[in-house]
């Protein structure tokens, strides 16, 4: 549906500098609608927040409001004033391909907005410490090799921004949450090795932008995303502990005998001829294959065996269409 209107004029209302340094500009446009009933359709086709406003220099639209309507006219026409509030585009004067921005630039070519990096924390069991005067890390154990119990708060980075895509598989909004990158990925100028960035939150909005003549101009998705980045990777050392081992006959309970110096299955205990056997009541470190326990050192301390891996599923982030530059 088209709207018959006439642009009567434009007027600069003023500007400001906000606390975050953004330069704000306000201006208004006055239109005359040929038919008062066209007002609702006209409002529907006003530009969307985030659109490019091609004044000199380029600005990004923050809000667009109909501020005044004329009194009823004898000829059935209506004058209305639209107020625009825009923010400066000092860091946004080219598109993702480095080309100058104009009003004809598709929204999915815009650079990211609302870009922010902040700190985040995560608590976990302590694994290592750095002795005083020594720069090399050692296991978080006492001098006898027995692990200490303690937790630390680790620092992560929270990265948030908004970007546009011409299309996206909306299943990503629920399938990829709390999953990590399976391969190296470039995001807003930063390179992340595998398993170092996690999709924390994602929000998608489908947008349609029309001309005031009722023609569909742009159809796209606006994506708000939050990522968590871990410089040490989301891989963790998982203690390979248990009270059962694998045998040719399946999973079997661990037994100990000879005053706790021998370990094996119940069948092995019977074969040994020992008389002091009992089921293992506390978890032990298993070997890497799970077919036995890890050895003890001369001090009677078991050698730790850890499984290195990630608690979050690694996936290909390509479906998210993440921008490589900001």
């Amino acid at each position: 549906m088209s709207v018959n209107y006439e642009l009567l004029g434009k007027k600069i209302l003023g500007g400001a500098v906000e606390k975050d340094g953004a330069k704000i500009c306000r201006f208004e446009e006055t239109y005359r609608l040929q038919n008062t009933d066209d007002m609702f359709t006209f409002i529907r086709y006003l530009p969307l927040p985030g659109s490019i406003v091609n004044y000199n220099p380029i600005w990004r639209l923050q809000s667009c409001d109909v501020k005044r309507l004329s009194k009823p006219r004898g000829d059935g026409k209506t004058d209305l004033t639209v107020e625009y509030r825009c923010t400066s585009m000092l860091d946004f004067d080219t598109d993702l391909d480095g080309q100058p921005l104009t009003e004809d630039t598709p929204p999915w070519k815009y650079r990211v907005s609302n870009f922010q990096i902040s700190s985040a924390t995560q608590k976990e069991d302590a694994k290592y410490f750095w002795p005083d005067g020594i720069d090399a890390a050692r296991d978080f154990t006492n001098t006898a090799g027995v692990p200490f119990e303690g937790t630390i708060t680790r620092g992560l980075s929270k990265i948030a921004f908004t970007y546009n895509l011409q299309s996206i598989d909306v299943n990503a909004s629920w399938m990829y949450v709390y999953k990590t990158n399976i391969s190296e990925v470039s995001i807003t100028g930063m390179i992340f090795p595998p398993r170092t960035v996690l999709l924390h939150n994602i929000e998608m909005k489908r947008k349609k932008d029309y001309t005031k003549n009722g023609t569909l101009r742009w159809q796209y998705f606006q994506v708000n995303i939050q990522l968590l980045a871990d410089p040490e990777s989301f891989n963790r050392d998982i203690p390979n502990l248990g009270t059962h081992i694998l045998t040719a006959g399946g999973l079997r309970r661990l037994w100990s005998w000879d005053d706790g110096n021998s370990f094996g299955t119940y069948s092995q205990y019977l074969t040994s001829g020992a008389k002091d056997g009992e089921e293992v009541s506390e978890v032990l470190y298993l070997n890497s294959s799970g077919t036995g326990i890890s050895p003890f050192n001369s001090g009677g301390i078991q050698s730790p065996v850890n499984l290195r891996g990630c608690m979050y599923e690694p996936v290909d982030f390509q479906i998210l269409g993440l921008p490589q530059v900001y």
Side-chain angles (χ1 to χ4, degrees):
M1 178 186 297
S2 62
V3 179
N4 292 320
Y5 67 93
E6 176 187 358
L7 175 62
L8 300 182
K10 297 183 180 182
K11 180 181 179 182
I12 300 295
L13 299 179
V17 178
E18 298 197 329
K19 291 182 179 179
D20 62 359
K23 310 298 192 298
I24 301 300
C25 175
R26 292 170 47 247
F27 66 94
E28 66 179 20
E29 296 178 339
T30 302
Y31 294 89
R32 176 165 295 167
L33 303 184
Q34 299 302 308
N35 190 324
T36 302
D37 293 336
D38 285 341
M39 184 187 68
F40 296 107
T41 303
F42 179 87
I43 293 173
R44 179 185 175 188
Y45 298 144
L46 290 174
L48 298 175
S51 301
I52 296 300
V53 179
N54 199 15
Y55 269 76
N56 189 13
I58 293 292
W59 298 80
R60 185 207 300 268
L61 182 64
Q62 280 191 336
S63 64
C64 181
D65 301 302
V66 175
K67 288 297 185 180
R68 292 185 298 276
L69 293 174
S70 66
K71 294 181 179 180
R73 296 165 50 101
D75 57 7
K77 299 179 181 180
T78 298
D79 294 345
L80 57 84
T81 301
V82 182
E83 183 175 319
Y84 300 84
R85 178 181 171 89
C86 303
T87 183
S88 62
M89 307 300 295
L90 297 180
D91 297 323
F92 194 73
D93 54 357
T94 59
D95 65 17
L96 291 173
D97 298 327
Q99 299 300 312
L101 280 176
T102 71
E103 288 184 326
D104 294 325
T105 301
W108 52 88
K109 290 290 187 179
Y110 295 172
R111 290 176 180 261
V112 304
S113 60
N114 305 318
F115 182 83
Q116 182 178 1
I117 299 179
S118 58
S119 61
T121 58
Q122 176 173 293
K123 288 189 175 182
E124 60 183 42
D125 293 335
K127 297 290 192 307
Y128 309 101
F129 80 107
W130 286 257
D132 186 31
I134 301 176
D135 293 333
R138 56 165 285 184
D139 292 336
F140 191 57
T141 65
N142 62 21
T143 53
V146 178
F148 287 124
E149 291 185 4
T151 59
I152 59 171
T153 299
R154 294 185 59 249
L156 307 178
S157 292
K158 180 183 290 185
I159 305 167
F161 54 87
T162 300
Y163 65 109
N164 298 329
L165 291 174
Q166 186 174 11
S167 63
I168 187 174
D169 185 346
V170 294
N171 287 311
S173 62
W174 61 273
M175 291 178 63
Y176 278 47
V177 176
Y178 274 89
K179 296 185 180 180
T180 187
N181 58 313
I182 196 171
S183 56
E184 182 179 277
V185 61
S186 174
I187 306 173
T188 61
M190 296 176 284
I191 304 297
F192 296 94
R195 303 187 181 192
T196 57
V197 62
L198 184 79
L199 177 55
H200 179 63
N201 187 55
I202 186 170
E203 178 184 81
M204 300 179 188
K205 297 178 181 177
R206 192 170 74 167
K207 300 282 189 176
K208 290 185 177 182
D209 193 3
Y210 295 87
T211 68
K212 293 187 180 73
N213 291 325
T215 303
L216 179 63
R217 191 180 189 197
W218 310 118
Q219 182 171 277
Y220 61 99
F221 285 89
Q222 183 183 81
V223 183
N224 298 312
I225 198 165
Q226 288 184 353
L227 305 168
L228 291 178
D230 187 340
E232 298 181 15
S233 108
F234 285 101
N235 281 337
R236 295 291 182 266
D237 288 326
I238 306 167
N240 190 34
L241 296 168
T243 57
H244 294 73
I245 61 173
L246 288 172
T247 70
L251 197 64
R252 295 292 184 268
R253 178 82 183 201
L254 273 171
W255 279 64
S256 68
W257 58 93
D258 291 339
D259 293 326
N261 292 311
S262 297
F263 296 85
T265 64
Y266 178 67
S267 175
Q268 290 170 325
Y269 161 60
L270 294 178
T271 302
S272 72
K275 303 299 182 183
D276 62 344
E278 62 179 358
E279 288 185 342
V280 170
S281 58
E282 296 183 0
V283 294
L284 296 169
Y285 279 105
L286 307 183
N287 61 25
S288 58
S289 64
T291 57
I293 65 170
S294 70
F296 288 82
N297 62 24
S298 59
I301 303 298
Q302 237 191 329
S303 299
V305 176
N306 294 309
L307 303 177
R308 184 72 172 168
C310 186
M311 304 297 288
Y312 304 104
E313 180 185 357
V315 297
D316 187 348
F317 274 21
Q318 185 175 357
I319 191 176
L320 299 173
L322 295 166
Q324 296 188 24
V325 298
Y326 70 89

